[in-house]
Amino acid sequence: MADANPLPPVPSTNTAPIGLTTPLLFGPLFNWALYGILLVQTYVYSYNFPNDKLYLRLLVYLAFLLETAQTFLTGFDVYHWFVAGFTNVEILERPWYTPIDLPIMSGLIALIVQMFFCSRIWILNKRLWWLCLLIAVLSVTQAAGAFWDGFKALQEADVVKPSLYLWLGSAVFADVLIAVAMAYLLIQKRDNEIQFSNYILRRVVRLIIETNVLTSTVAIVTFALFVSFPDEYYFIAPATVFGKLYSNTLLVTLNNRIYFRDHPFPGVSRDSVYHGPTHPSERRLSIVNPSSGHALALRTNDTFRLDTLSSTIDPEKGKATSLLQT
């Protein structure tokens, strides 16, 4: 019995070029994979740090909500391109929601995360205020370029080169400056006499350097693909994961405090660490500092908050002032 609604025949000519379909497909796939990682990271954060300061929790959940919205919009794009527009090559040229979920939302998320790291630099060394101001200006500039590119693409259904240059170029410079500032702080504290505090700072700073190098590398690759292949859409694949990399960077940095709970200090045996109640917010550590022999009673949820590192090390004197902020 013949099918009453046969599928349309696949055209033998006018097929979509691989340079168009490949980034439109693989970009969202990588985006969704990173969203799965972000989902797990958000759960880990909410479970382990329920008593974080309100602004940190709002920052995390705002980034997660924005990424969730971007994931749904990316799904709508893929549906229109490869399902509703099946066999229609011309429909692949339509941006649909791409101007919103790619430049606009990615630029907004990048602004949030870069300003977070900018505030960390300010807390760790207030003498770098001028560098923090420069990073903030670059971060706002990249967000403005992203919004410009997105709104122009909604009107013209095409990529606007000046705005794309402004967006990606400013993002690269902001990430590089963040990494350089953290590298400077790492070198500055290398000879710090307080080994316990120095250990915490080194791990946090090294992680921030690595993550910002990653985001800046992706931005450079996106920019290079756009310049090298201006008539192709290769740059869309790395650009699609831009926002997810920033949000995962934020969560990795915050969740890295769990490491300090399980590995409090080099040379400290597991017998030196006492875990109290099972809930992370109520656990306490009792650690013997090998350099001084003094015991430190630490509450894990408060001790290793990134926003208390300013009270951990005095940038001017290089001395530990307080390991707790209650």
Side-chain angles (χ1 to χ4, degrees):
M1 182 176 179
D3 193 345
N5 296 307
L7 292 174
V10 178
S12 58
T13 60
N14 193 29
T15 56
I18 191 172
L20 177 60
T21 56
T22 301
L24 294 182
L25 178 61
F26 281 93
L29 290 178
F30 289 129
N31 184 288
W32 297 337
L34 288 174
Y35 179 74
I37 298 175
L38 180 66
L39 190 64
V40 174
Q41 294 241 52
T42 304
Y43 170 77
V44 170
Y45 172 83
S46 63
Y47 178 77
N48 286 275
F49 306 104
N51 297 324
D52 258 356
K53 286 189 175 180
L54 180 61
Y55 81 92
L56 276 179
R57 285 179 284 146
L58 290 177
L59 194 69
V60 169
Y61 298 136
L62 175 61
F64 176 74
L65 289 177
L66 289 174
E67 292 292 4
T68 301
Q70 189 206 42
T71 302
F72 277 106
L73 291 175
T74 304
F76 289 142
D77 291 335
V78 173
Y79 170 79
H80 285 296
W81 287 328
F82 298 104
V83 179
F86 181 66
T87 73
N88 187 352
V89 178
E90 294 180 355
I91 207 170
L92 295 174
E93 300 286 347
R94 300 178 186 177
W96 299 106
Y97 300 103
T98 303
I100 299 176
D101 59 56
L102 205 158
I104 293 179
M105 300 196 72
S106 295
L108 178 59
I109 295 167
L111 174 65
I112 294 173
V113 177
Q114 287 172 343
M115 294 301 288
F116 167 78
F117 286 128
C118 186
S119 67
R120 300 304 93 185
I121 297 172
W122 164 257
I123 287 176
L124 292 173
N125 193 336
K126 290 182 172 58
R127 291 180 298 177
L128 297 178
W129 64 267
W130 58 272
L131 184 59
C132 296
L133 180 61
L134 179 58
I135 293 173
V137 170
L138 287 172
S139 183
V140 173
T141 302
Q142 69 83 23
F147 274 72
W148 178 19
D149 184 65
F151 288 131
K152 293 293 289 185
L154 285 173
Q155 297 172 1
E156 302 176 5
D158 199 3
V159 177
V160 183
K161 290 185 178 181
S163 59
L164 189 69
Y165 293 157
L166 185 65
W167 169 32
L168 296 177
S170 299
V172 169
F173 281 117
D175 288 335
V176 169
L177 286 179
I178 291 172
V180 169
M182 288 298 176
Y184 169 76
L185 292 173
L186 180 62
I187 295 173
Q188 184 187 44
K189 300 303 177 186
R190 179 169 294 178
D191 298 326
N192 194 291
E193 63 185 39
I194 307 301
Q195 296 182 19
F196 183 74
S197 301
N198 196 22
Y199 168 66
I200 297 175
L201 183 63
R202 284 202 310 270
R203 284 199 56 86
V204 172
V205 169
R206 187 180 297 115
L207 177 65
I208 295 176
I209 293 174
E210 293 170 353
T211 51
N212 279 274
V213 167
L214 175 62
T215 53
S216 60
T217 300
V218 173
I220 292 173
V221 170
T222 304
F223 185 81
L225 288 175
F226 179 75
V227 173
S228 302
F229 305 96
D231 298 327
E232 301 290 346
Y233 288 83
Y234 295 123
F235 72 95
I236 288 182
T240 305
V241 303
F242 210 40
K244 292 294 189 298
L245 288 177
Y246 276 106
S247 54
N248 273 288
T249 293
L250 174 65
L251 266 300
V252 166
T253 304
L254 294 174
N255 288 338
N256 189 57
R257 294 172 292 174
I258 301 173
Y259 179 88
F260 299 124
R261 184 182 66 211
D262 299 330
H263 306 80
F265 190 73
V268 176
S269 65
R270 300 292 295 180
D271 296 335
S272 302
V273 180
Y274 166 71
H275 291 275
T278 57
H279 196 278
S281 63
E282 300 175 351
R283 292 176 183 171
R284 293 177 180 269
L285 301 179
S286 179
I287 303 172
V288 177
N289 191 334
S291 62
S292 63
H294 297 298
L296 301 172
L298 308 175
R299 188 169 57 206
T300 59
N301 195 56
D302 291 332
T303 305
F304 301 116
R305 280 189 291 196
L306 288 178
D307 54 343
T308 63
L309 280 177
S310 59
S311 63
T312 302
I313 294 178
D314 185 340
E316 301 294 334
K317 300 179 182 179
K319 297 180 180 180
T321 57
S322 174
L323 287 173
L324 287 175
Q325 185 181 74
T326 56

